[in-house]
Amino acid sequence: MTAAAARPVTSSASSNGYGAFLTEILSDRDRFFTEVAEDKGLRGKLVHALWTLVGLSALYGAATGAYASPAQAVSSALKLPLLFLGTLAICFPGFFVIQVLVGSRLRLLQVLTLVLGALSLSAILLAAAVPITVFFLSTGANYYFLTLLHVVIVLGAGLVGMAALHDGLASACEKRGVYPKKAMTIMKVWAVLFAFVGIQMAWNFQPFVGDRSQPFQLFRHNEGNFYTAVVYSLGRLAHDEEKAPQVAPSGTLRPGVGGLLELRERSSTDSSGVPTR
């Protein structure tokens, strides 16, 4: 009798463990969103999602900064989780208030768990891409290629996370009458806003990739924007590698990772080739 009575407790405990959380996020998200909508195991899911987001995004940040130096790797490992959490802190309050105004019956802890669960999926995808970035880093890939590779990976992981949040709200929450249909449109707009805020914050947190030719800097103030920097990197990447490298004009934008852009300042030269200030 004692052993039989202990079995349900063990099963319940294991279902709330970290392994169960990873299984739900990766292959059984409908169950994850359903349990959140039904207010089951919220605190455990919230803690697991938070630690997954922080730990795995830090791992990817370290792989990103490893291009420049160990110091840059440590810096990027600290800044990338702060980027996600800072963007969430800015965007979440308005999102939750609007959800309540349009008729959502989800509590604050439920909405926060849903969003962190989606972001933890993005972090898992980033960690899964670390071997790819290490491979190109170890084979001597071009700086601009690595830059654009990181941009694509981070944006792609973010899109997958937001898509998972949208699908979860639609399939698990809306069916139970706790999340109205008109709120789905607001969620899509919020996802776009989240991306724009994240890009701007990434710009302020740069550098992430770092530049081997420059001393380590924790933060670097740059002018310009993410989009012009990506265009510049695409142009440089398209150049024939056999041609002699041309010196970029003063204030040339150089991108880092996921919108994490770097401005490489070069001193201008006069006609005699002597640097001037």
Side-chain angles (χ1 to χ4, degrees):
M1 293 293 293
T2 304
R7 287 178 185 174
V9 176
T10 303
S11 176
S12 176
S14 62
S15 65
N16 293 327
Y18 187 66
F21 167 79
L22 290 179
T23 300
E24 291 179 359
I25 286 295
L26 291 174
S27 59
D28 195 7
R29 285 187 293 277
D30 185 65
R31 177 181 176 183
F32 173 82
F33 286 107
T34 298
E35 290 181 351
V36 172
E38 295 176 352
D39 207 359
K40 294 181 179 179
L42 284 184
R43 295 189 181 276
K45 288 179 171 57
L46 182 64
V47 171
H48 293 326
L50 180 60
W51 282 113
T52 300
L53 174 61
V54 172
L56 296 186
S57 61
L59 175 63
Y60 187 83
T64 300
Y67 170 82
S69 65
Q72 185 62 58
V74 173
S75 173
S76 298
L78 295 175
K79 288 193 291 185
L80 194 56
L82 289 177
L83 170 63
F84 278 104
L85 295 177
T87 304
L88 178 62
I90 293 172
C91 297
F92 181 79
F95 176 65
F96 176 73
V97 171
I98 293 176
Q99 300 306 300
V100 174
L101 291 177
V102 298
S104 172
R105 290 159 51 190
L106 294 173
R107 297 185 296 109
L108 186 145
L109 191 61
Q110 289 174 299
V111 178
L112 183 59
T113 303
L114 291 174
V115 175
L116 279 176
L119 292 179
S120 69
L121 175 60
S122 297
I124 292 172
L125 293 175
L126 290 179
V130 166
I132 299 175
T133 63
V134 171
F135 168 76
F136 284 109
L137 178 63
S138 61
T139 54
N142 180 276
Y143 173 89
Y144 297 97
F145 173 81
L146 286 175
T147 291
L148 295 173
L149 177 66
H150 288 307
V151 170
V152 170
I153 290 175
V154 173
L155 291 181
L159 287 174
V160 172
M162 289 297 104
L165 177 61
H166 177 272
D167 293 343
L169 290 173
S171 63
C173 300
E174 185 181 352
K175 291 178 181 178
R176 286 160 180 77
V178 296
Y179 200 80
K181 288 185 177 180
K182 57 184 176 181
M184 297 303 300
T185 301
I186 297 175
M187 184 270 155
K188 295 176 183 177
V189 175
W190 178 80
V192 175
L193 177 63
F194 188 92
F196 275 100
V197 172
I199 289 173
Q200 182 59 38
M201 182 167 288
W203 179 270
N204 294 330
F205 274 16
Q206 60 181 308
F208 282 75
V209 174
D211 192 339
R212 290 174 176 173
S213 64
Q214 294 186 1
F216 167 75
Q217 289 182 327
L218 184 60
F219 296 103
R220 184 178 302 157
H221 174 69
N222 297 328
E223 298 178 355
N225 59 64
F226 166 80
Y227 308 100
T228 56
V230 169
V231 171
Y232 173 75
S233 282
L234 287 171
R236 289 301 300 267
L237 188 61
H239 279 185
D240 186 357
E241 294 184 357
E242 295 181 358
K243 294 182 180 180
Q246 298 179 355
V247 177
S250 177
T252 297
L253 293 172
R254 301 186 62 185
V257 54
L260 317 176
L261 309 178
E262 303 168 12
L263 179 64
R264 185 176 186 179
E265 298 180 353
R266 298 177 181 268
S267 59
S268 60
T269 58
D270 57 18
S271 58
S272 63
V274 179
T276 59
R277 296 185 182 273

